[in-house]
Amino acid sequence: MWRDENDKFVRYFDERFALSEGFIPFVLEGIEGILRKTGLRPEDFAKVVIDASSDKKTDAILKKAGFSPEQACQELIRDFGYSGAAYGPMLLAGALEQSAVDDLILYVSYGEGSDAIVFK
C-alpha cells in the first residue's frame, strides 16, 4: 500500500499479483532449496509451518510442494487470526510443543525472499 504526497486515498495492488509473483514462488523456492540441500522429502516432516496470512495461501503452497494437508500448522489463524510478524514463530512454538523427539518440522518464512529451516 502507498499514498503519494498529493493522493487523497491510499492505493494498493491487487493481492493476486503479490501472491503469484512474490509470495508463492519465493516460498516454494525456499522449500525446494532446503529439500535439495538436506536430501529430505515432504513425507519426512511431521509438521510444516508456513508464515502465511491465510489458510488458502498455506494450502496452495503445501499442495504445490507435495505436502499433505495434515502436515500443516494452521491452528492459530482459525482461533484468533493473523498476528503479523509474531505469527510464524507462534506456529513454530505450537508445533514444537506437539512434536515427538525425532519429529522433523519445516519452518518457512517470507519477507524479502524466503527462509526455510528444519527443526528436530
Side-chain angles (χ1 to χ4, degrees), residues 44-104:
D44 295 332
F45 294 92
K47 291 286 182 185
V48 180
V49 174
I50 298 176
D51 189 356
S53 61
S54 75
D55 286 351
K56 287 182 180 181
K57 292 176 188 175
T58 300
D59 292 341
I61 289 171
L62 288 171
K63 186 175 180 179
K64 287 184 179 195
F67 292 93
S68 70
E70 295 78 30
Q71 291 171 287
C73 291
Q74 298 174 312
E75 303 85 23
L76 295 179
I77 205 159
R78 293 181 196 132
D79 292 343
F80 64 85
Y82 184 66
S83 57
Y87 186 68
M90 289 170 61
L91 281 177
L92 177 60
L96 289 169
E97 286 179 352
Q98 298 170 4
S99 67
V101 174
D102 291 328
D103 283 352
L104 293 178

Side-chain angles (χ1 to χ4, degrees), residues 10-70:
V10 173
R11 295 188 280 169
Y12 62 93
F13 284 116
D14 186 334
E15 185 183 46
R16 291 175 293 178
F17 177 78
L19 286 174
S20 67
E21 301 302 318
F23 182 80
I24 292 174
F26 282 115
V27 170
L28 286 172
E29 185 177 329
I31 292 170
E32 291 164 3
I34 197 80
L35 294 179
R36 192 172 44 254
K37 285 182 180 181
T38 62
L40 295 168
R41 300 165 307 185
E43 57 269 16
D44 295 332
F45 294 92
K47 291 286 182 185
V48 180
V49 174
I50 298 176
D51 189 356
S53 61
S54 75
D55 286 351
K56 287 182 180 181
K57 292 176 188 175
T58 300
D59 292 341
I61 289 171
L62 288 171
K63 186 175 180 179
K64 287 184 179 195
F67 292 93
S68 70
E70 295 78 30

